[in-house]
């Protein structure tokens, strides 16, 4: 217990020290929100990865999808690495960095406002961020209760409040740079922690091949399909439900392309060569962390005796209990590492979300619309106040859900990712590459995804019965909605577009060494 307590204290101490050290980088809006657009590839790649993978992935998604799909859940981790990291950096990284600097935009809503010369579009995007980022922020605390109860016998409320306070201090003090440096440290912990946990859990079951052999003997007698009832299906390549698994891969991988807190990482990277390096680093990070999480969760059914003693086909205490039960037999020192791992994953994502929320609300909604003549000093003050407010709201939501099991909050958390990515992904990507995107096309996609994902809470058609399927549907639909609406609506100003897209090409003058041509 002493070792576990000391590790947690040291971890929190380092986080706070970095936050206070980085105060010098947060004296203006550009420094506080984007680190002065001078963040290197390692910090940016780790900030991207740690914002991507939180306790929701490690405890929630890995346990849930590992139980449902078996070892095939690893496809989600591979998708996160290839689509969510490698392709996201390759497709969005350079163009996002160049155009956002050229347009002087610090947030995604601000980008939409300046790219389409529409203040109303910027306000709409900022409202979508505000409505759907806050519930997503609250969900980060999920999974901590079981792990802390198992490791420390500490009440969940104490854990949540302590984590929120410490995160708030270093984000308020150091802004984006403090978040990026802490993310780097937290990312290293996640890399080593995941690797150690996978090895330890598989070793407890006789090693990889013994674990796979044990998994191959398991079937689900309560499954709705004959495929899922087949022996060995949970050790198979595509698992018992490849169609729904595909939707999981799409939502958790392609979704990052439209999440404000993820895309904003590209705003801050230093130069183009750093984007290339960051692509490689980010992909390898996702391969280890996401691949390791889902691979580990795939062996959850080996612990059926503890998770489903009554044989009902699902964990008696819910999917969030799968990973904690798998880890319960680990040595104390490794369990302490796991606790630090989950804290790292949650705090890094929390800091990224509250910084994105506060900057969006301040710069895109309050500035010039609610508060006139807002100078940089006032902007920084308001952003810091909003960070505190957002963290308090997320804590209240998390505690309400934990104490009273309010299902509405949990459902709203589930649709947050799909609503944000569905609304922003297609308009953002198209507008980086294609001059023909119109303002009305953005409006159509914003409204479509927001309505579909909100309606999914109350009405769930057969094909879109889960927020995951609905979110994946909205993202894919956006790739059709945006070009179709753009073709039938008034075209944007051609002169403005030529100027905006000129940032991708630069005319240079070179000295000519020969005065006469060879011919």
């Amino acid at each position: 217990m002493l070792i576990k307590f000391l590790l947690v204290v040291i971890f929190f101490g380092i986080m706070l020290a970095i936050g206070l050290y980085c105060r010098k980088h947060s004296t203006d809006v550009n420094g506080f929100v984007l680190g002065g657009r001078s963040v290197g590839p390692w910090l940016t790649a780790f900030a991207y990865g740690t914002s991507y993978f939180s306790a929701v992935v490690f405890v929630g998604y890995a346990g849930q999808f590992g139980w449902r799909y078996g070892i095939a859940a690893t496809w989600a981790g591979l998708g996160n690495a290839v689509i969510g990291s490698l392709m996201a950096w390759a497709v969005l990284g350079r163009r996002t960095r160049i155009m956002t600097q050229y347009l002087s935009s610090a947030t995604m809503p601000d980008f939409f406002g300046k790219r389409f010369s529409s203040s109303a579009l910027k306000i709409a995007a900022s409202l979508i961020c505000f409505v759907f980022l806050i519930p997503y922020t609250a969900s980060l605390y999920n999974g901590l209760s079981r792990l802390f109860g198992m490791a420390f016998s500490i009440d969940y409320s104490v854990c949540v409040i302590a984590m929120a306070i410490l995160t708030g201090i270093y984000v308020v003090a150091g802004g984006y740079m403090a978040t990026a440096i802490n993310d780097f440290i937290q990312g290293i912990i996640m890399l080593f922690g995941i690797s150690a946990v996978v090895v330890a859990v598989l070793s407890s079951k006789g090693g990889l091949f013994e674990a796979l052999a044990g998994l191959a003997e398991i079937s689900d007698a309560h499954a709705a399909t004959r495929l899922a009832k087949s022996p060995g299906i949970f050790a198979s390549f595509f698992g018992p439900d490849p169609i729904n698994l595909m939707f999981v891969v799409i939502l958790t991988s392609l979704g990052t392309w439209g999440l404000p807190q993820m895309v904003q990482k590209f705003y801050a990277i230093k130069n183009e060569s750093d984007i290339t390096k960051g692509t490689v680093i980010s992909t390898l990070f996702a391969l280890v962390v996401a691949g390791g999480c889902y691979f580990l969760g795939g062996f959850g059914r080996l612990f059926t005796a503890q998770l489903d003693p009554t044989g009902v086909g699902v964990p008696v205490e819910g999917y969030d209990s799968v990973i904690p039960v798998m880890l319960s037999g680990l040595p104390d020192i490794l369990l302490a590492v796991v606790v630090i791992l989950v804290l790292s994953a949650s705090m890094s994502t929390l800091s990224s979300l509250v910084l994105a929320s506060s900057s969006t609300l301040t710069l895109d909604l309050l500035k010039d619309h609610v508060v006139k003549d807002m100078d940089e000093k006032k902007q920084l003050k308001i952003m810091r106040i909003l960070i505190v407010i957002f963290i308090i709201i997320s804590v209240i939501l998390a505690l309400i859900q934990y104490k009273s099991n309010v299902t509405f909050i949990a459902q709203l958390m589930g649709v947050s990712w799909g609503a944000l990515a569905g609304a922003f992904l297609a308009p953002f990507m198209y507008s980086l590459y294609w001059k023909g995107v119109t303002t009305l096309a953005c409006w159509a996609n914003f409204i479509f995804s927001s309505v579909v994902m909100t309606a999914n809470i109350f009405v769930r058609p057969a094909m879109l019965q889960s927020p995951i399927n609905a979110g994946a549907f909205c993202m894919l639909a956006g790739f059709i909605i945006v070009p179709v609406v753009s073709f039938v609506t008034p075209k944007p100003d051609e002169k403005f577009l030529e100027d905006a897209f000129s940032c991708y090409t630069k005319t240079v003058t070179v000295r000519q060494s020969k005065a006469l041509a060879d011919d």
Side-chain angles (χ1 to χ4, degrees):
M1 181 62 73
L2 179 61
I3 293 174
K4 288 185 282 191
F5 180 76
L6 285 175
L7 283 175
V8 172
V9 170
I10 292 171
F11 172 76
F12 281 143
I14 293 173
M15 300 300 104
L16 292 177
I18 290 172
L20 296 175
Y21 169 77
C22 289
R23 284 181 298 176
K24 62 184 180 182
H25 294 284
S26 58
T27 55
D28 58 23
V29 171
N30 189 46
F32 188 81
V33 177
L34 299 175
R37 295 187 190 265
S38 59
V39 184
W42 284 91
L43 292 184
T44 303
F46 271 65
Y48 184 92
T50 54
S51 297
Y52 195 166
F53 309 115
S54 66
V56 176
V57 172
F58 182 69
V59 177
Y61 281 7
Q64 178 180 350
F65 301 137
W67 183 271
R68 287 184 178 179
Y69 307 119
I71 202 68
T74 309
W75 281 108
L78 297 177
N80 292 175
V82 176
I83 302 173
S85 297
L86 175 63
M87 290 178 62
W89 278 73
V91 174
L92 301 179
R94 175 181 179 271
R95 285 189 167 251
T96 299
R97 174 64 177 83
I98 294 173
M99 185 171 278
T100 55
Q101 182 175 9
Y102 187 78
L103 297 176
S104 299
S105 64
T107 65
M108 184 176 279
D110 189 39
F111 170 82
F112 283 118
K114 291 178 177 176
R115 168 67 174 79
F116 296 97
S117 302
S118 172
S119 178
L121 194 65
K122 180 173 77 170
I123 293 173
S126 64
L127 287 173
I128 292 172
C129 289
F130 176 72
V131 170
F132 291 104
L133 277 178
I134 295 301
Y136 180 42
T137 303
S139 72
L140 300 176
Y141 303 102
N142 291 346
L144 288 175
S145 57
R146 295 181 187 275
L147 287 175
F148 262 76
M150 180 176 63
F152 295 99
S153 299
I154 295 176
D155 184 71
Y156 175 62
S157 304
V158 176
C159 166
V160 167
I161 293 170
M163 171 182 152
I165 290 174
L166 292 164
T167 304
I169 291 174
Y170 80 71
V171 177
V172 167
Y176 182 84
M177 188 59 77
T179 300
I181 295 174
N182 276 328
D183 286 348
F184 180 73
I185 296 172
Q186 291 161 351
I188 292 174
I189 294 171
M190 291 168 69
L191 285 172
F192 284 100
I194 289 292
S195 303
V197 166
V198 171
V199 171
V201 171
L202 292 182
S203 297
S204 72
K205 294 297 180 180
L208 173 61
F209 296 107
E210 282 293 322
L212 285 172
L215 197 63
E217 297 174 1
I218 297 174
S219 61
D220 188 354
H222 299 273
T225 64
R226 187 174 66 179
L227 182 63
K229 296 178 182 178
S230 306
I233 194 65
F234 293 105
S236 66
F237 197 60
F238 290 113
D241 191 357
I243 299 299
N244 280 309
L245 176 59
M246 180 184 68
F247 281 116
V248 171
V249 174
I250 292 172
L251 182 75
T252 61
S253 303
L254 193 60
T256 60
W257 295 37
L259 295 179
Q261 75 277 12
M262 302 294 295
V263 174
Q264 195 166 316
K265 300 296 185 291
F266 299 135
Y267 290 35
I269 199 164
K270 191 173 183 179
N271 53 49
E272 291 197 34
S273 63
D274 284 350
I275 294 173
T276 304
K277 297 173 186 174
T279 303
V280 177
I281 298 166
S282 178
T283 303
L284 293 175
F285 182 89
L287 195 62
V288 174
V289 174
C293 283
Y294 288 110
F295 181 71
L296 175 66
F299 292 95
R301 286 184 181 264
L302 294 178
F303 297 81
T304 299
Q306 299 103 296
L307 290 164
D308 184 22
T310 58
V312 297
V314 295
V316 174
E317 297 185 24
Y319 293 115
D320 285 352
S321 65
V322 174
I323 296 298
V325 167
M326 295 177 72
L327 304 179
S328 60
L330 297 180
D332 284 346
I333 185 66
L334 193 53
L335 192 57
V337 172
V338 171
V339 171
I340 301 298
L341 158 67
V342 176
L343 271 176
S344 298
S346 299
M347 290 178 69
S348 58
T349 309
L350 176 63
S351 63
S352 178
L353 286 172
V354 296
L355 188 58
S357 301
S358 66
S359 58
T360 293
L361 198 58
T362 302
L363 301 177
D364 303 325
L365 192 59
L366 298 181
K367 184 184 177 185
D368 299 330
H369 299 105
V370 178
V371 182
K372 303 296 182 181
D373 301 321
M374 189 188 294
D375 58 21
E376 289 225 355
K377 187 175 180 180
K378 186 177 288 186
Q379 291 174 43
L380 286 172
K381 183 179 179 181
I382 291 176
M383 275 191 280
R384 288 184 163 112
I385 292 172
L386 287 175
I387 286 172
V388 175
I389 292 174
F390 289 156
I391 288 178
I392 291 173
I393 293 173
S394 70
V395 168
I396 292 172
L397 288 174
L399 293 179
I400 289 175
Q401 184 188 355
Y402 177 71
K403 298 290 185 182
S404 58
N405 293 319
V406 178
T407 56
F408 176 78
I409 297 174
Q411 290 172 331
L412 195 55
M413 291 173 189
V415 303
S416 295
W417 184 298
L420 289 163
F424 296 143
L425 192 162
F428 183 78
M429 192 192 78
Y430 275 123
S431 62
L432 292 175
Y433 283 87
W434 182 35
K435 298 176 183 178
V437 182
T438 65
T439 304
L440 289 176
C442 293
W443 276 110
N445 203 72
F446 286 4
I447 294 170
F448 175 81
S449 293
S450 300
V451 170
V452 170
M453 293 307 300
T454 304
N456 185 256
I457 299 174
F458 308 103
V459 181
R460 292 185 175 177
M463 283 299 293
L464 304 178
Q465 56 187 330
S466 74
I468 291 171
N469 291 1
F473 169 74
C474 287
M475 285 187 286
L476 295 177
F479 288 112
I480 300 173
I481 292 172
V482 172
V484 168
V485 176
S486 294
F487 281 126
V488 297
T489 51
K491 304 306 177 199
D493 180 66
E494 206 168 306
K495 185 178 180 182
F496 169 78
L497 288 174
E498 288 296 331
D499 180 62
F501 276 77
S502 67
C503 63
Y504 295 134
T505 56
K506 186 177 181 180
T507 302
V508 296
T509 302
V510 296
R511 184 181 296 276
Q512 183 175 331
S513 58
K514 292 183 179 180
L516 299 175
D518 292 336
D519 57 355

